Amino acid sequence: ATFEIENDEAYMNLIAIAPTHQRKGIGKALTFSTDACKINLLLRNVNVEGRKFYEAIGFHKSDFTKPGNYVDNSLLTGFSYP
């Protein structure tokens, strides 16, 4: 997982788990591997499995956006924890 940290908030911009290692707690451990008080991320709207994963570990939809993001923001949904 990679994060950008600013003012005690983390923006998680990448997480990848090999299919053979999914559903073993690795994604959750990596997601919470930062000491930041708040974690934000952008998820592609078509990523239904990702949405289920993040909601299951306590993320909620938010109005988070990333200025200068290379993906059209209309294709993304912001999520935050807590």
Side-chain angles (χ1 to χ4, degrees):
T2 61
F3 298 92
E4 294 175 23
I5 309 277
E6 185 175 322
N7 299 325
D8 211 25
E9 287 191 19
Y11 166 60
M12 186 169 63
N13 56 12
L14 175 68
I15 186 170
I17 310 298
T20 55
H21 290 84
Q22 291 176 357
R23 303 197 182 282
K24 297 179 180 179
I26 298 168
K28 182 177 180 179
L30 289 173
T31 299
F32 294 114
S33 65
T34 177
D35 291 331
C37 292
K38 185 173 186 174
I39 304 171
N40 298 301
L41 60 93
L42 292 169
L43 192 63
R44 291 178 187 264
N45 295 333
V46 298
N47 188 348
V48 176
E49 292 302 312
R51 177 184 301 257
K52 289 178 188 176
F53 169 75
Y54 289 111
E55 288 176 341
I57 62 172
F59 279 76
H60 62 276
K61 285 173 80 171
S62 69
D63 60 358
F64 176 76
T65 60
K66 179 81 170 142
N69 193 9
Y70 64 94
V71 177
D72 181 346
N73 279 323
S74 69
L75 302 174
L76 304 169
T77 300
F79 283 84
S80 298
Y81 180 91

